[in-house]
C-alpha cells in the first residue's frame, strides 16, 4: 500500500504570496511603464530647467516692455518663484557669462523692481549705477562741518549769472542720532562783471537736493535710492545687535538686499531675508565692544548709517534698529 | 482532474493574482503616480501657452528679433504658430485689452506673415509713434 504524500502546509500560503506579489508587480509595470499617467495640461512650475530659464527671460523682457510688475509677479508665482530670487540669480549668471545685454538689462530691471540689489548688476541699471567715484566713507576721526548755504544778491549795477561748482560734503543731519546723507552742494561763483547796462537779476538760493549725483557741470538731480527712516539706539537684551530692515517704497520688506558694514578699515557683507522668521526684509549683525560701525546698502544709492557703536547702556552692549526704505522722488 | 481542494487552491491563487494587479494599479495610478518634473513647454495648459505667446510678442516688440521669436514659438509645438499669435491678437482686440499688448501681438503676427484688417489700426499707430 503506497503512502500518499501529504503536501507541505506551507505550499498554499507560499503560492498565494507569490501570486499576490506577481500581481502587484504586473500592476506597477502597467501603471508606471506601459500606461503611465500623462500630464497634458501642466503648470509652468514643472518645466525642465532650460525651458524654465527661457520663461524667466521672457518674463523679464515682458516687464521691460510693459512695466507691469503685478503681471510679472503673477507669472513668477506660476513658476513657483514667489520672491523673484531666480530672476536675480539668472541675471547675475548672465552678467558673469557675458550673455545678451538686452536680456541682462531686462532681468536686472525686474530684479530691481522686486527689490533686489546686487553690485554686479549695477552697470545694467542706469538709474542705480554708482557714481564714477564712490564717496569715501568718513573715518571717525574726521570733523565734518556743513558747508554754508550762500545766497547771491546782485547789486544794482551788475548781473551775476551763477557758474555753479559742486563739492561733495557730509552734513550731520542730527547730533543725537547721527546719520549722514551724502549730498552735493552747489556754490554759485560770480562771473566776470559785465560792461553793458546792468540788469538786477535775482538769483535763487541753491539748496542741496536729496541724494544727488555730483557732477561738475550739472545741477544735482534727485535720484531714487534708499533712505534711513529709522535709526534707533536701544538698550535691550542680549545687546550688541545691529538689526536692519529694508523696505521698498510701498513699505514691503525686501529680501536678498546686500548690506555692507564697515569698521576700523574692515568690512563685511550680509543679506536680508536669511532669517525669514524675523521677516524677509530683516538682517542682523553682531557688533563688538569699542567699535564704531557704518552701514550702507550695496548696489544702489543709499544713505550711510554712521556712528553705530555699542556704548550708552548700563551693564550691557547697546543695539541699533535701522530701517532703510526706498524712495523714488517725483521728477 | 482537480479535486475540490485543488479548485479552491487554483481560484484562491487567481484571486490573489488579480488582487495584486489591482493593488499595483492603485499604487501606480493613484497613490504614487509617475510625476513629471521636467516637462516640456508643449505640455503647458492652454492658458499658460497663451501667456507664453504674449511674452514672446512683448520680447519681439522690445528687440525686434524675429528669428528668436520664431524659435521660442516653436517650443510650444503648435500646428500653426502664426495663426495662434493672430488669434490671440484678435482675442485681445475683442476683449479690449491694453493697447500695448494688442500692438505687440499684432506686430508679431504681421511679422509672421498674417495680415488682418483688424490689426491695421494698431500697426499704423506703431508706425506713427516710431516716425521721426
Amino acid at each position: 500500500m503506497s503512502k500518499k504524500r501529504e503536501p507541505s502546509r506551507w505550499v498554499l500560503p507560499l503560492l498565494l504570496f507569490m501570486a499576490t506579489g506577481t500581481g502587484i508587480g504586473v500592476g506597477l509595470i502597467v501603471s508606471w511603464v506601459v500606461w503611465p499617467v500623462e500630464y497634458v495640461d501642466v503648470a509652468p512650475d514643472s518645466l525642465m530647467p532650460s525651458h524654465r530659464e527661457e520663461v524667466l527671460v521672457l518674463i523679464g523682457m515682458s516687464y521691460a516692455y510693459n512695466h507691469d510688475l503685478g503681471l510679472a509677479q503673477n507669472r513668477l508665482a506660476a513658476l513657483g518663484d514667489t520672491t523673484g530670487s531666480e530672476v536675480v540669480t539668472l541675471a547675475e549668471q548672465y552678467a558673469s557669462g557675458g550673455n545678451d545685454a538686452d536680456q541682462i538689462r531686462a532681468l536686472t530691471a525686474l530684479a530691481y523692481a522686486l527689490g533686489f540689489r546686487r553690485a554686479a548688476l549695477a552697470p545694467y541699471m542706469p538709474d542705480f549705477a554708482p557714481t564714477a567715484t564712490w564717496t569715501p566713507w568718513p573715518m571717525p576721526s574726521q570733523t565734518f562741518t556743513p558747508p554754508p548755504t550762500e545766497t547771491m544778491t546782485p547789486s544794482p549795477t551788475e548781473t551775476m549769472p551763477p557758474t555753479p561748482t559742486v563739492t561733495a560734503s557730509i552734513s550731520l543731519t542730527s547730533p543725537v542720532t547721527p546719520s549722514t546723507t551724502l549730498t552735493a552742494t552747489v556754490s554759485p561763483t560770480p562771473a566776470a562783471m559785465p560792461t553793458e547796462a546792468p540788469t538786477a537779476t535775482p538769483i535763487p538760493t541753491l539748496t542741496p537736493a536729496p541724494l544727488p549725483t555730483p557732477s561738475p557741470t550739472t545741477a544735482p538731480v534727485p535720484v531714487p535710492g534708499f533712505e534711513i527712516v529709522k535709526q534707533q539706539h536701544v538698550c535691550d537684551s542680549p545687546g550688541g545687535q545691529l538689526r536692519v530692515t529694508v523696505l521698498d517704497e510701498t513699505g514691503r520688506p525686501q529680501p536678498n538686499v546686500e548690506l555692507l558694514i564697515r569698521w576700523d578699515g574692515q568690512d563685511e557683507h550680509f543679506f536680508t531675508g536669511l532669517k525669514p522668521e524675523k521677516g524677509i526684509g530683516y538682517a542682523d549683525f553682531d557688533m563688538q565692544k569699542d567699535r564704531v560701525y557704518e552701514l550702507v546698502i550695496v548696489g544702489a544709492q543709499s544713505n550711510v548709517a554712521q556712528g553705530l557703536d555699542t556704548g550708552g547702556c548700563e551693564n550691557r552692549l547697546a543695539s541699533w534698529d535701522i530701517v532703510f526704505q526706498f524712495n523714488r522722488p517725483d521728477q | 482532474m482537480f479535486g475540490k481542494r485543488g479548485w479552491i487552491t487554483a481560484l484562491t491563487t487567481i484571486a490573489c493574482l488579480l488582487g495584486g494587479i489591482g493593488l499595483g494599479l492603485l499604487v501606480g495610478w493613484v497613490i504614487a503616480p509617475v510625476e513629471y518634473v521636467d516637462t516640456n513647454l508643449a505640455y503647458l495648459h492652454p492658458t499658460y501657452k497663451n501667456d507664453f505667446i504674449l511674452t514672446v510678442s512683448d520680447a519681439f516688440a522690445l528687440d525686434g528679433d524675429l528669428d528668436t521669436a520664431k524659435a521660442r514659438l516653436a517650443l510650444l509645438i503648435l500646428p500653426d504658430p502664426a495663426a495662434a499669435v493672430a488669434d490671440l491678437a484678435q482675442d485681445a482686440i475683442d476683449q479690449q485689452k491694453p493697447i500695448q499688448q494688442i500692438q505687440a501681438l499684432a506686430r508679431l503676427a504681421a511679422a509672421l506673415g498674417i495680415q488682418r484688417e483688424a490689426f491695421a489700426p494698431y500697426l499704423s499707430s506703431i508706425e506713427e509713434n516710431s516716425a521721426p
Side-chain angles (χ1 to χ4, degrees):
Chain A
M1 185 191 245
S2 61
K3 193 175 180 183
K4 201 173 184 181
R5 190 175 175 181
E6 290 287 334
S8 167
R9 60 178 177 160
W10 293 108
V11 170
L12 182 61
L14 187 64
L15 189 64
L16 297 179
F17 178 78
M18 287 174 62
T20 305
T22 303
I24 292 174
V26 169
L28 289 174
I29 289 171
V30 168
S31 61
W32 281 352
V33 179
V34 179
W35 286 326
V37 173
E38 287 187 5
Y39 293 87
V40 293
D41 287 341
V42 298
D45 59 357
S46 61
L47 287 173
M48 65 175 73
S50 59
H51 286 191
R52 189 181 181 85
E53 183 176 320
E54 193 66 42
V55 172
L56 277 170
V57 170
L58 284 170
I59 292 174
M61 295 189 78
S62 180
Y63 172 76
Y65 175 67
N66 57 33
H67 302 290
D68 190 339
L69 183 60
L71 180 59
Q73 287 176 311
N74 287 340
R75 285 169 170 162
L76 288 173
L79 270 180
D81 180 13
T82 54
T83 62
S85 58
E86 287 189 53
V87 175
V88 69
T89 301
L90 190 62
E92 287 182 308
Q93 187 183 321
Y94 275 24
S96 63
N99 285 49
D100 181 75
D102 286 339
Q103 292 182 359
I104 299 173
R105 272 191 285 271
L107 288 167
T108 301
L110 178 55
Y112 270 70
L114 292 169
F116 293 94
R117 302 290 181 266
R118 292 288 188 273
L121 299 178
Y124 298 96
M125 193 65 195
D127 281 349
F128 303 102
T131 53
T133 54
W134 283 102
T135 304
W137 286 35
M139 300 307 293
S141 58
Q142 290 184 5
T143 305
F144 307 108
T145 48
T149 304
E150 298 183 20
T151 306
M152 301 299 295
T153 16
S155 67
T157 58
E158 64 192 17
T159 303
M160 302 174 68
T163 305
T165 57
V166 174
T167 55
S169 64
I170 306 297
S171 58
L172 287 174
T173 57
S174 166
V176 177
T177 53
S179 68
T180 62
T181 305
L182 296 177
T183 62
T185 59
V186 181
S187 309
T189 305
M193 298 187 44
T195 56
E196 285 102 9
T199 316
T201 308
I203 296 173
T205 303
L206 296 168
T207 55
L211 300 174
T213 304
S215 163
T217 57
T218 60
V221 176
V223 295
F226 284 95
E227 295 180 346
I228 298 172
V229 297
K230 177 182 177 182
Q231 183 169 334
Q232 187 175 9
H233 177 273
V234 292
C235 296
D236 59 6
S237 184
Q241 271 213 324
L242 176 63
R243 298 185 287 255
V244 187
T245 302
V246 179
L247 308 174
D248 69 2
E249 55 193 318
T250 64
R252 288 181 307 178
Q254 295 301 296
N256 297 299
V257 175
E258 189 175 358
L259 298 157
L260 175 66
I261 187 162
R262 280 178 47 158
W263 70 94
D264 301 333
Q266 300 177 65
D267 59 59
E268 195 168 311
H269 295 249
F270 57 111
F271 293 84
T272 61
L274 298 180
K275 294 181 178 177
E277 69 276 10
K278 294 187 179 180
I280 59 173
Y282 174 87
D284 58 35
F285 181 85
D286 291 328
M287 299 189 294
Q288 303 297 317
K289 194 178 173 184
D290 298 328
R291 286 178 181 171
V292 183
Y293 298 86
E294 295 163 339
L295 178 71
V296 75
I297 290 177
V298 178
Q301 292 285 348
S302 171
N303 285 168
V304 179
Q306 290 189 315
L308 307 173
D309 64 3
T310 57
C313 294
E314 276 189 39
N315 303 322
R316 67 184 61 186
L317 300 177
S319 296
W320 287 88
D321 290 328
I322 313 281
V323 177
F324 287 92
Q325 184 162 12
F326 189 71
N327 180 42
R328 191 185 301 270
D330 296 327
Q331 295 187 3
Chain B
M1 184 176 171
F2 290 124
K4 182 179 177 184
R5 193 171 177 178
W7 278 110
I8 292 173
T9 302
L11 285 173
T12 308
T13 303
I14 292 170
C16 285
L17 188 65
L18 293 174
I21 291 173
L23 190 60
L25 291 173
L26 179 69
V27 170
W29 280 348
V30 179
I31 296 173
V34 173
E35 288 186 9
Y36 289 87
V37 293
D38 285 340
T39 56
N40 200 300
L41 280 166
Y43 294 116
L44 281 180
H45 186 278
T47 303
Y48 295 117
K49 277 189 179 179
N50 289 341
D51 195 57
F52 183 84
I53 294 173
L54 209 60
T55 58
V56 172
S57 69
D58 288 345
F60 175 70
L62 203 62
D63 61 15
D65 188 344
L66 184 59
D67 290 336
T68 302
K70 284 181 180 176
R72 284 166 171 159
L73 289 174
L75 294 173
L76 293 176
I77 313 181
L78 297 167
D80 190 345
V85 175
D87 290 343
L88 208 56
Q90 187 62 59
D91 288 343
I93 293 171
D94 296 339
Q95 293 167 22
Q96 298 181 331
K97 294 287 186 180
I99 289 181
Q100 206 176 17
Q101 185 180 115
I102 299 172
Q103 283 178 337
L105 287 164
R107 187 176 171 186
L108 179 57
L112 292 171
I114 295 193
Q115 301 282 353
R116 292 185 187 174
E117 199 176 325
F119 300 164
Y122 301 97
L123 294 174
S124 61
S125 64
I126 293 172
E127 287 166 4
E128 283 168 11
N129 291 339
S130 61

